[in-house]
Amino acid sequence: GENVEQHPSTLSVQEGDSAVIKCTYSDSASNYFPWYKQELGKGPQLIIDIRSNVGEKKDQRIAVTLNKTAKHFSLHITETQPEDSAVYFCAATPLINTGTASKLTFGTGTRLQVTL
Amino acid sequence: NAGVTQTPKFRVLKTGQSMTLLCAQDMNHEYMYWYRQDPGMGLRLIHYSVGEGTTAKGEVPDGYNVSRLKKQNFLLGLESAAPSQTSVYFCASSHLQRTSGTPRETQYFGPGTRLLVL
């Protein structure tokens, strides 16, 4: 099965700095890589995802890159703000266009703290 | 739209007791999932369902049962609770966005149920 490793487990940055979280995956069949943000006391929420047919995707201050050859993908947050403080999870799965659900394999999470 | 709701929010059980966690979604999603979240281990899939009347095992199914009698509801049961089942349980729902290329899927999570087994 798929195995996803995520680093670092904790990350502290000053407001305005950039933050980078890295994940590696093991299953070469994985083609869908979402990132979830979990605020304290809440369920995870999708913030960005990337499919294997592209190498990079950007949405305002958030970007994700994918290197299929090396089997790793990263989340980049620029100009960090205090509200970015949360736990971030990466995930991976092989998705196909049939009636089977995805079985996401999650990383172990990164606790990001943005200090003033 | 309430999205995904879970009941109860918090529960304390004694070892050997049983309980059912309820998940409801109002987005007409085909797929539903139950995860558990433990410190340092991320989210792990317990069971999932691809439609009404169907269920399948995930990564950590032992000690749990599920049922999906209605499309909008997904129940997680613990027949005989054990301290190892102390965790935060999350339900999620989704639908597959089929495209000509690689599909994508957004899972929407509920707020979680915190379960303590003594």
Side-chain angles (χ1 to χ4, degrees):
Chain A
E2 177 65 275
N3 181 50
V4 176
E5 295 189 357
Q6 183 172 347
H7 299 280
S9 56
T10 60
L11 179 60
S12 182
V13 300
Q14 285 197 323
E15 184 179 6
D17 287 350
S18 296
V20 180
I21 302 170
K22 298 181 179 181
C23 290
T24 61
Y25 62 99
S26 62
D27 188 353
S28 57
S30 286
N31 59 2
Y32 178 62
F33 308 91
W35 286 87
Y36 285 82
K37 176 183 180 182
Q38 185 177 25
E39 297 176 341
L40 194 62
K42 297 184 179 180
Q45 184 175 14
L46 180 74
I47 55 171
I48 195 168
D49 57 12
I50 190 168
R51 293 176 281 178
S52 59
N53 57 342
V54 297
E56 184 174 358
K57 183 176 179 181
K58 190 173 182 181
D59 183 5
Q60 298 183 334
R61 296 186 297 109
I62 294 173
V64 58
T65 59
L66 171 65
N67 183 328
K68 289 185 293 183
T69 303
K71 295 196 186 72
H72 67 69
F73 56 113
S74 301
L75 178 71
H76 305 252
I77 306 174
T78 58
E79 301 172 19
T80 54
Q81 301 168 3
E83 51 265 38
D84 295 328
S85 295
V87 179
Y88 292 81
F89 292 95
C90 62
T93 189
L95 269 188
I96 51 178
N97 275 316
T98 68
T100 57
S102 69
K103 290 186 286 183
L104 288 173
T105 300
F106 285 85
T108 51
T110 296
R111 183 174 300 279
L112 173 65
Q113 183 170 3
V114 180
T115 57
L116 297 174
Chain B
N1 267 1
V4 179
T5 57
Q6 293 182 233
T7 52
K9 289 185 171 56
F10 177 69
R11 184 78 182 266
V12 179
L13 288 180
K14 293 181 180 178
T15 297
Q17 287 185 319
S18 63
M19 79 163 293
T20 299
L21 283 69
L22 171 63
C23 175
Q25 54 98 1
D26 60 3
M27 296 173 282
N28 201 34
H29 285 166
E30 300 130 355
Y31 308 144
M32 296 188 75
Y33 309 82
W34 275 108
Y35 295 89
R36 62 177 289 173
Q37 184 175 41
D38 302 293
M41 300 189 73
L43 293 120
R44 292 182 293 168
L45 183 64
I46 304 171
H47 286 282
Y48 65 99
S49 168
V50 299
E52 183 178 321
T54 71
T55 64
K57 294 180 180 180
E59 180 186 353
V60 289
D62 293 343
Y64 306 95
N65 57 76
V66 288
S67 64
R68 186 139 179 232
L69 300 179
K70 294 182 179 180
K71 186 176 183 179
Q72 63 267 33
N73 295 338
F74 196 27
L75 278 63
L76 178 71
L78 286 74
E79 290 185 347
S80 179
S84 60
Q85 293 178 305
T86 292
S87 187
V88 181
Y89 291 86
F90 287 99
C91 175
S93 72
S94 72
H95 69 275
L96 188 66
Q97 295 165 258
R98 295 176 173 82
T99 67
S100 58
T102 305
R104 66 189 296 251
E105 175 185 341
T106 301
Q107 292 193 15
Y108 295 86
F109 284 81
T113 294
R114 189 173 296 273
L115 176 65
L116 175 61
V117 183
L118 301 174

